[in-house]
Amino acid sequence: MTTSLPRIFSGVQPTGNLHLGNYLGALRNWVKLQHDHECLFCVVDQHAITTWQDPAELHRATLEVAAAMVACGIDAGKHIVFNQSAVPGHAQLAWIFNCVARIGWMNRMTQFKDKAGKDRENASLGLLAYPSLMAADILVYRATHVPVGDDQKQHLELTRDIAAKFNNDFSARIGDLGLGVEMQAGDETVNGFFPLTEPLIDGPATRVMSLRDGTKKMSKSDPSDLSRINLTDDEDAISKKIRKAKTDPEPLPSGLDGLKGRPEAENLVGIYAALAGISRERVMAEFGGQQFSVFKPALADLAVEKLAPIAAEMRRISDDRAYVDAVLRDGGERAGAIAERTMKDVREIIGLLGD
Ligand code: AQP
């Protein structure tokens, strides 16, 4: 895998059932990007354990996420599909980044604040350092672009901060060893080892919200299964969840402006637009002024049409355990070779003796 195409890294945590938000915010975009990028898609199992996971369930979910990537259309032969713990470079580089990043940077992360909640002192140290491991995931492959949902924007900014500080802290050494590449940092051209990775946050569904509360993002860890459409849901479950989705008593407004202050209606319109591959304006042109009793069945039909084939493909692939194991093994070997080349240079830059 040595092309001159821009390199993409992105990951999904095996923390439960993959849902519509993961699909529209991440997986579906990955499928499009694989045509003109060199891609690494990772099941980030070491991120998952920043909060407690049942070991058997973690194992199952890791295989399921890998199967989902392939079921959604990722070409695992051309690109790399693997699990994070198969490549030691992620954890090795994360430790180095823990020594580069500042505690204050981590304390400002909204995901940490949300997940740690009020009992911050009792959160795992790993949860606080999560963005450092995420920076390592990306930079151990010196990836130039990361497609993510809107919720990961702050972590991506931190990844750039870590790369910039590393480049700056070791600039003389990077220059002496001839390991720098020229890159643009704002208006300046700088010489650095790690790229300043760009996020790719694209499409009408970069933040899909819960079906039970339009102010909360759709999430695997929401205790209510009715809050999300799982990629494994069958036709009946998809229809039922859309029928039961929280809405207000008013019909849909006639234009997009009327969706302001109506988060549940706005969310359903966004989901329809994303699944149909049309703009939200077009959805409003078709359904504006209509009751939810008309819009919801249309949305349910569309969701079933788009998602049921993915669920069927996921089941087919998951049943072939040997195939999923082979995808992950092959991906881990190829990813490991790239990561090890980076780590060799990193050790030399820092002055670690290594092996
Ligand atoms: N609701 C969402 N809308 C759009 N994109 C989303 N993503 C997640 N939720 C939404 C995107 O999916 C990719 C993988 O996410 P993840 O599994 O690594 O972690 P997450 O963002 O923490 O997802 P969850 O579902 O909320 O998991 P839990 O509940 O375990 O924390 C990312 O690109 C993410 O942006």
Side-chain angles (χ1 to χ4, degrees), residues 87-99:
V87 179
H90 292 245
Q92 291 167 357
L93 189 57
W95 178 256
I96 290 164
F97 287 167
N98 282 344
C99 303

Side-chain angles (χ1 to χ4, degrees), residues 26-338:
L27 288 163
R28 193 177 69 160
N29 299 336
W30 299 359
V31 174
K32 290 185 206 142
L33 289 164
Q34 67 180 338
H35 301 300
D36 42 13
H37 294 79
E38 176 191 356
C39 303
L40 295 113
F41 296 122
C42 186
V43 189
V44 287
D45 47 6
Q46 287 167 310
H47 278 288
I49 59 166
T50 54
T51 55
W52 192 84
Q53 304 297 323
D54 175 76
E57 177 51 26
L58 178 64
H59 198 136
R60 184 204 66 77
T62 301
L63 297 170
E64 186 182 276
V65 173
M69 289 179 183
V70 178
C72 287
I74 302 293
D75 182 341
K78 191 164 166 213
H79 300 282
I80 294 181
V81 171
F82 71 111
N83 62 302
Q84 188 183 27
S85 59
V87 179
H90 292 245
Q92 291 167 357
L93 189 57
W95 178 256
I96 290 164
F97 287 167
N98 282 344
C99 303
V100 171
R102 308 288 93 182
I103 294 173
W105 299 1
M106 302 294 159
N107 277 332
R108 281 196 288 278
M109 295 297 111
T110 52
Q111 181 174 294
F112 175 68
K113 290 183 200 164
D114 290 347
K115 290 202 170 173
K118 290 200 176 67
D119 200 6
R120 215 190 120 86
E121 291 295 309
N122 214 17
S124 74
L125 190 52
L127 190 65
L128 180 67
Y130 183 113
S132 212
L133 178 57
M134 182 163 157
D137 296 337
I138 297 162
L139 294 174
V140 83
Y141 303 104
R142 299 166 87 182
T144 51
H145 296 82
V146 180
V148 277
D150 183 60
D151 58 321
Q152 294 299 325
K153 197 170 167 202
Q154 196 186 29
H155 287 164
L156 257 298
E157 281 159 11
L158 191 72
T159 298
R160 289 169 67 92
D161 291 343
I162 291 175
K165 187 165 186 301
F166 182 95
N167 289 343
N168 190 50
D169 287 356
F170 297 101
S171 62
R173 180 89 171 152
I174 291 167
D176 288 350
L177 292 168
L179 290 173
V181 285
E182 272 198 356
M183 63 186 83
Q184 210 56 34
D187 295 340
E188 260 182 278
T189 306
V190 296
N191 206 277
F193 179 72
F194 286 120
L196 303 176
T197 307
E198 296 285 345
L200 297 173
I201 302 174
D202 197 18
T206 55
R207 196 174 186 87
V208 178
M209 308 310 275
S210 156
L211 298 180
R212 304 303 302 160
D213 177 351
T215 63
K216 272 172 46 188
K217 105 175 164 139
M218 188 176 282
S219 169
K220 300 188 212 90
S221 50
D222 192 314
S224 166
D225 193 53
L226 285 176
S227 70
R228 65 183 159 262
I229 295 175
N230 302 307
L231 288 190
T232 47
D233 281 346
D234 62 19
E235 300 185 9
D236 288 348
I238 295 173
S239 300
K240 180 176 136 201
K241 287 176 180 180
I242 291 176
R243 218 173 40 245
K244 286 186 172 280
K246 187 180 161 200
T247 44
D248 53 50
E250 303 297 318
L252 280 170
S254 53
L256 274 183
D257 277 355
L259 288 173
K260 288 207 181 90
R262 298 179 63 186
E264 284 82 17
E266 189 172 18
N267 187 37
L268 295 185
V269 168
I271 292 173
Y272 192 103
L275 285 174
I278 59 175
S279 68
R280 297 187 321 147
E281 284 81 358
R282 269 193 59 197
V283 181
M284 295 314 289
E286 194 175 343
F287 292 100
Q290 308 246 31
Q291 299 289 344
F292 283 104
S293 55
V294 175
F295 181 58
K296 279 183 171 180
L299 176 57
D301 286 349
L302 177 65
V304 166
E305 179 198 324
K306 299 289 176 182
L307 301 176
I310 297 175
E313 188 63 359
M314 264 176 82
R315 276 191 294 276
R316 189 186 70 75
I317 294 170
S318 294
D319 284 347
D320 190 349
R321 174 66 196 271
Y323 171 73
V324 180
D325 283 345
V327 164
L328 289 175
R329 197 177 330 107
D330 172 61
E333 279 168 15
R334 288 188 288 145
I338 303 172

